[in-house]
Amino acid sequence: MRWWGKRWWLLSLVCLLAFPAQAQRSGQHLAIFEGVGIEEKLGERIPLDLTFRDEAGQPVTLRTFFDGRRPVLLTLVYHDCPMLCNLVLDGLAKTLRQMSWTPGEQFEVLAVSFNHRETPELARRKKAHYVDMLDRPEAAAGLHFLTGDSTTIRALTNAVGFSFRWVPEKQQFAHPAALIFLSGEGKISRYLYGLEHDPGDVRKALVEASEGKVGTVVDQVLLYCFQYDPSENSYVANAYNIMRLGGAVTVVVLGITLFLFWRRERRRQQQALQTGG
């Protein structure tokens, strides 16, 4: 099922924000969003040999950003977007500021433009803006704003199921808003929809994408106890797993208690034998 069929409320919000009220009254916004959305392709791999240009205008393959271990957070935007993309990137920066993890250390961030007319110079200015907003200069090493040609862009957007279209009468793109989480090998792990995201959900999605290669034991426990719920677009408590974990903890605590009791009694018996001897 396409994402716009399940998340109609966000597309309505986009329409209200980005397009004139007369278009809404006439019903034209429905036609604008025809063919726009996300078809999830969980478990599939993106083509890592695709070549884009980085902020300096240098050609780089996607493989450059995948080390087989650290997860990658991908967002598809266009840097000259007058409304929605700015909200997506602003929301991402806000989320990252609240996280203890830093792009370039535990994970990488790719902001890839799906407008083939955009230039590396525009991407460079956009990156500088968000590095400043993040107020974490070291994050610049892990934030990558890429541009590419139409063929390369289509190959990537098709691989992740991201559908968009140019609206000539508005001179804008109609497109969905989502964060896409990829493993260190380029496998699609999770989609989070919307403009802003809970830092805890983003961290869980990164741990999930890394298949446990990043994060702490606590992160692993939390990911076990909280699982992604598509209807909530969030990670929610899994009562069954929590009960299983609680039962396992109870068994461990009981085992330790019995062991300590047994050891104490054994020492007491040995002391009694020595005293009696």
Side-chain angles (χ1 to χ4, degrees), residues 140-274:
L143 291 174
H144 312 281
F145 284 67
L146 309 181
T147 54
D149 60 48
S150 57
T151 301
T152 303
I153 289 169
R154 282 294 180 183
L156 177 58
T157 57
N158 289 343
V160 298
F162 183 96
S163 298
F164 62 99
R165 64 186 294 264
W166 176 249
V167 185
E169 59 270 27
K170 305 301 177 186
Q171 291 296 292
Q172 297 179 30
F173 284 97
H175 61 92
L179 303 181
I180 304 171
F181 296 82
L182 307 164
S183 73
E185 294 83 19
K187 183 172 67 176
I188 302 170
S189 172
R190 183 64 57 209
Y191 296 77
L192 291 182
Y193 301 104
L195 305 179
E196 292 190 9
H197 303 277
D198 178 77
D201 281 347
V202 171
R203 179 159 173 153
K204 291 183 184 73
L206 289 170
V207 173
E208 182 181 26
S210 76
E211 298 177 342
K213 295 174 184 175
V214 300
T216 65
V217 173
V218 174
D219 287 311
Q220 298 298 320
V221 172
L222 287 175
L223 190 59
Y224 181 78
C225 294
F226 290 81
Q227 294 188 341
Y228 180 74
D229 183 349
S231 65
E232 297 292 333
N233 189 38
S234 180
Y235 286 81
V236 299
N238 184 307
Y240 177 68
N241 282 357
I242 291 175
M243 287 192 300
R244 289 182 62 185
L245 182 62
V249 171
T250 300
V251 170
V252 171
V253 171
L254 181 59
I256 292 174
T257 301
L258 291 174
F259 173 75
L260 293 175
F261 176 78
W262 172 80
R263 190 171 66 173
R264 186 180 64 181
E265 287 299 311
R266 185 177 180 184
R267 287 178 178 175
R268 183 180 300 173
Q269 291 174 2
Q270 291 175 345
Q271 290 174 355
L273 288 174
Q274 291 173 359

Side-chain angles (χ1 to χ4, degrees), residues 18-204:
F19 300 105
Q22 63 187 44
Q24 298 165 30
R25 289 194 298 270
S26 68
Q28 292 177 17
H29 62 283
L30 297 178
I32 287 173
F33 288 110
E34 183 178 352
V36 175
I38 290 181
E39 181 180 357
E40 294 191 356
K41 297 191 177 184
L42 298 173
E44 297 188 21
R45 296 178 186 272
I46 66 171
L48 297 183
D49 291 331
L50 295 177
T51 300
F52 289 84
R53 291 194 178 273
D54 64 15
E55 310 88 358
Q58 297 301 311
V60 290
T61 63
L62 290 181
R63 191 177 304 279
T64 304
F65 310 106
F66 292 80
D67 64 3
R69 176 181 172 273
R70 294 179 302 169
V72 174
L73 191 165
L74 168 67
T75 181
L76 291 162
V77 294
Y78 69 106
H79 304 317
D80 201 29
C81 180
M83 182 65 69
L84 182 59
C85 298
N86 291 329
L87 296 177
V88 171
L89 292 173
D90 287 354
L92 177 58
K94 180 180 177 180
T95 297
L96 295 179
R97 285 189 64 171
Q98 299 176 67
M99 294 177 62
S100 61
W101 288 2
T102 301
E105 296 178 5
Q106 293 83 5
F107 63 103
E108 300 287 325
V109 175
L110 298 182
V112 181
S113 172
F114 53 78
N115 181 358
H116 68 277
R117 295 183 177 87
E118 293 191 329
T119 64
E121 172 61 22
L122 178 57
R124 185 191 65 78
R125 295 199 303 268
K126 207 71 172 179
K127 174 177 177 175
H129 171 73
Y130 283 103
V131 170
D132 288 343
M133 180 180 290
L134 190 55
D135 194 26
R136 206 179 298 179
E138 64 273 21
L143 291 174
H144 312 281
F145 284 67
L146 309 181
T147 54
D149 60 48
S150 57
T151 301
T152 303
I153 289 169
R154 282 294 180 183
L156 177 58
T157 57
N158 289 343
V160 298
F162 183 96
S163 298
F164 62 99
R165 64 186 294 264
W166 176 249
V167 185
E169 59 270 27
K170 305 301 177 186
Q171 291 296 292
Q172 297 179 30
F173 284 97
H175 61 92
L179 303 181
I180 304 171
F181 296 82
L182 307 164
S183 73
E185 294 83 19
K187 183 172 67 176
I188 302 170
S189 172
R190 183 64 57 209
Y191 296 77
L192 291 182
Y193 301 104
L195 305 179
E196 292 190 9
H197 303 277
D198 178 77
D201 281 347
V202 171
R203 179 159 173 153
K204 291 183 184 73

